[in-house]
Each structure stands twice: as structure tokens, then as C-alpha cells.
Amino acid sequence: MGLWVLGVFFIFAVVCIGNAVGIEEKCDFFQGRWVRDETYPLYMTEECPFIEREFNCQKNGRLDDLYLKFRWQPNGCDLQRFDGQDFLEKFSGKSIMFVGDSLSRNQWQSLTCMLHSSVPQAQYNVTRVGDISIFTFMTDHVWMVRNFLSWFDNHVGSDCGPLLGGKLQAAYNNDYDVKVMLHRSVYLVDVVREKIGRVLKLDSINGGKIWKNIDMLIFNTWHWWNRRGPSQPWDYIQIGKKIVKDMDRMVAFQKALTTWANWVDFNIDPTKCMVFFQGVSPSHYNGTSWGEPSAKNCVREKVPLLVSTYPGGPPPALGVQKGVMSRMKKAVQFLDVTNLSLLRKDGHPSMYGLGGPTGMDCSHWCLSGVPDTWNEILYNLIL
């Protein structure tokens, strides 16, 4: 009898330990491959009436749609399909902010489309104040219902609850009061106009006061760091008291990221705010890097690379990002979307963007498209 009990205990212990190990193991959502899936995209372009022209490839004349029929499949696990209603319920009464350049706007608009298509009956409002765009789900309605319910409880009481209060409470439960915001800050650090001109200050981040008291922050920067000539939005670079006309851009990028990392370490309480940093969103202007030397850009690319690793390798900026992240004291989740996006040479607007055939865009992404996968992974990380 004693041996039998001991044997049962041993089996039970092994099962418990095995399950515990399984729970602790986490899937790497960023390692995998693209697979064809006819249930995608998550939404159609016509289901999102506010897609900006530069991302609306179908409306701009792109006729092929095979690029919409691919799903990211991680190695060894599955991504849970995006559930917009569940996402809104999780963030009811809260705020989300994307901070960065036009790639952040790409991802911000993707998320708002994913949410709107999930709850198309929900009222929304889009406003812009300076460099901040705010997409709000049902704020005014929530305020009205919330205040009426308070008055109802105080003046009418619970006796009439089933007749009227219950219906209003049900309506309130479908009102999310979620703000999905975008702060355009292409360098994250400050660009200040002074007597000598526009100064990019690598160790100053006064703009960060806007990021405080947000429930979830998603940062991104890289796209603008190599700009030169008329499109460069600064005249000088300042580090401490030293002002220079220019410097190694990768070094400048690393110093600015370090300033941002220090700001997060000093200002963010991880128990109150989730922080993500998005990896480099790649461009496709050189077919040699994906095995097509004759391709000078992404035009007429219709399918992704169906492999797990990009032939041309990752951009050097990705290493800089990971190096800075590794030295941070506060928990920041890295959205390592670079490799999966490198495989999507087919996902850019190309001649179907804002500039048309003369403004070849192989940097941004069509919507529906690749940024939806970034957000689907983001959703899985917060489950």
C-alpha cells in the first residue's frame, strides 16, 4: 500500500512539474514564416472608411489581392486571432499611444481599422491637436450613460433597475471609452528651433511629458535618421554643450535611443503602464537583398518570401536597438517585427501610394496588410 501511494505521488509530482515547465515556456512569436490563409485579411479596405490615401492601395488602383491572403505562422505555436471586442474590453477606460514617425502612423491606423471592423456599430471620433491624433471609441456616449446611471441610482433607486437601469447598464457595457492615440515624434528626442537654426538635441526629451499617464505606449524611430538635404528637419546636432553640423548617424541614433531608455527607466511605472518598442520596419528598394537582382524596387511584387530568414540579413540599426534595450532597467517588450516584415516585399504601396507612379513607396505598408500582423502579435503579447 505504501509503495502504491508513493508511486501515485511520484506520477502526480512529475505531471505537475511538467505542466509548470510548459507554462513557463513562451513561444517566440517573431520566428516563423508566412503561410497562405484564405480567411485573411482581418478586414477589407471598404470596412475602414478612414484609411489615409497613402496606405489605401486597393482604392489607389492596386488590382492584385494575393498579398492580403497570408498569415504569419510562428514556429511551434499559433497566434490567437485578433479579437477587437476583447481588446476594447481589456482597455476600457484606458489610453494607448503610438509614438514615432509615419510607420507608427501606419500601425496606429491599422489598429484603429482592426478595432472598428470588429465593432462597426461602435461610435468613434477622430481629432488632431498639433502632433497628436486621437481616435476615441464612444467617449461622449460613455459620459452620458455613466452620468445618467449615477443620477438614476441616486434619485430613482434599484426598484426600477430591471425596467430601465439594466438596459442602460447593458448599453454602457458596450461603450468602451478607449483612446488610441498617435504622437508624431520622428526622433523621440527633441528638435528645437534656436537662433542658429533647428537643433536636434540627442540628450533632451522634454516632449516626453506627453507620454506620462498613458496605459500602453508603443515607440518607434529609425525611418528619419538617414535623411539628408531638404527633407532633413534639423540644421545642427547637440550633445550636452557640444553643437556639430553633423555626425555618424548610427552613433547619433544610439545616443538618442539611450536618452529615451533613460527617460523610460526614470518615468515609467511598469505596474501602471505597458511599454513596447517596435523594431526596424524595413524598406525594399534593392532586389539583390531578396534574391532578385533585376528588381530596383518593390513594384509588381505580389507574394512574400516563403522562408523563415531574409536572405539579405537584418539592417544594422536593429542591433543598435537591441543593444540599448538590453541595458534598460525597466521592462520594455521589444516588438521584433523586422524579419517577418523583411519577408514581405509584396506588402508596400509601391506605385499605389500617395505619390502614384512617380512616388515609388517601398517603405510604408498597404492597409490591410503587414501592420495588422504587428498588431495581432501585440494583442497576443497582452493576453
Side-chain angles (χ1 to χ4, degrees), residues 151 271 282 328 359 373:
W151 174 89
T271 65
M328 293 183 68
T373 296

Side-chain angles (χ1 to χ4, degrees), residues 7-31:
V8 171
F9 174 80
F10 177 76
I11 294 172
F12 178 76
V14 169
V15 170
C16 288
I17 293 171
N19 287 341
V21 171
I23 291 171
E24 290 177 0
E25 290 179 352
K26 290 186 177 181
C27 176
D28 185 349
F29 295 135
F30 304 104
Q31 298 300 315

Side-chain angles (χ1 to χ4, degrees), residues 90-375:
K90 287 180 183 299
F91 284 92
S92 179
K94 296 182 179 180
S95 56
I96 300 163
M97 180 178 281
F98 292 89
V99 184
D101 52 35
S102 54
L103 277 310
S104 288
R105 187 169 82 252
N106 219 167
Q107 187 177 6
W108 169 73
Q109 188 144 92
S110 162
L111 181 60
T112 56
C113 285
M114 292 164 74
L115 293 171
H116 174 69
S117 63
S118 297
V119 287
Q121 75 285 356
Q123 297 178 20
Y124 65 86
N125 183 48
V126 184
T127 58
R128 181 173 178 177
V129 181
D131 287 329
I132 300 178
S133 301
I134 307 171
F135 192 107
T136 308
F137 283 88
M138 317 262 298
T139 301
D140 294 337
H141 193 190
V142 169
W143 179 88
M144 178 185 71
V145 174
R146 180 185 295 144
N147 281 275
F148 187 86
L149 282 172
S150 177
W151 174 89
F152 187 87
D153 288 340
N154 292 331
H155 295 86
V156 180
S158 59
D159 291 342
C160 297
L163 180 64
L164 181 59
K167 293 181 180 179
L168 283 172
Q169 186 64 56
Y172 173 66
N173 288 340
N174 289 324
D175 290 333
Y176 306 105
D177 192 20
V178 176
K179 290 181 174 64
V180 185
M181 298 180 280
L182 171 70
H183 177 207
R184 185 180 183 275
S185 178
V186 300
Y187 297 109
L188 299 184
V189 293
D190 299 329
V191 177
V192 179
R193 186 174 292 277
E194 299 185 347
K195 290 182 179 180
I196 60 172
R198 301 163 299 174
V199 182
L200 174 61
K201 301 195 172 191
L202 299 182
D203 54 3
S204 173
I205 202 161
N206 291 325
K209 58 188 176 185
I210 298 172
W211 311 333
K212 294 182 178 181
N213 301 316
I214 302 294
D215 298 291
M216 182 165 76
L217 291 161
I218 305 99
F219 292 96
N220 154 66
T221 182
W222 169 244
H223 197 52
W224 283 68
W225 283 92
N226 278 320
R227 293 212 176 190
R228 290 171 168 81
S231 66
Q232 176 183 296
W234 51 265
D235 305 303
Y236 297 90
I237 297 177
Q238 182 173 352
I239 314 170
K241 294 183 178 181
K242 184 179 180 181
I243 297 176
V244 296
K245 191 66 178 175
D246 206 345
M247 64 182 293
D248 184 301
R249 298 300 179 87
M250 199 67 75
V251 173
F253 178 57
Q254 189 272 338
K255 290 184 179 296
L257 272 188
T258 301
T259 299
W260 166 84
N262 291 337
W263 183 93
V264 171
D265 284 340
F266 185 78
N267 289 279
I268 293 297
D269 180 351
T271 65
K272 296 179 180 179
C273 176
M274 290 184 286
V275 181
F276 295 85
F277 193 95
Q278 178 186 294
V280 175
S281 175
S283 301
H284 290 91
Y285 288 102
N286 183 1
T288 301
S289 65
W290 67 81
E292 292 182 47
S294 61
K296 305 304 179 185
N297 51 50
C298 62
V299 70
R300 288 183 287 277
E301 295 291 340
K302 297 182 178 181
V303 293
L305 292 171
L306 301 179
V307 295
S308 59
T309 304
Y310 189 65
L318 182 63
V320 174
Q321 289 179 339
K322 289 184 176 181
V324 172
M325 301 295 117
S326 68
R327 294 187 293 272
M328 293 183 68
K329 298 175 183 178
K330 296 288 178 68
V332 174
Q333 294 198 63
F334 189 60
L335 290 174
D336 195 1
V337 299
T338 304
N339 184 63
L340 68 87
S341 304
L342 279 166
L343 300 174
R344 293 307 305 266
K345 56 188 173 60
D346 59 317
H348 300 288
S350 66
M351 67 172 64
Y352 305 106
L354 190 62
T358 60
M360 184 63 58
D361 185 354
C362 298
S363 296
H364 299 97
W365 305 93
C366 296
L367 294 179
S368 310
V370 173
D372 302 334
T373 296
W374 302 348
N375 286 320

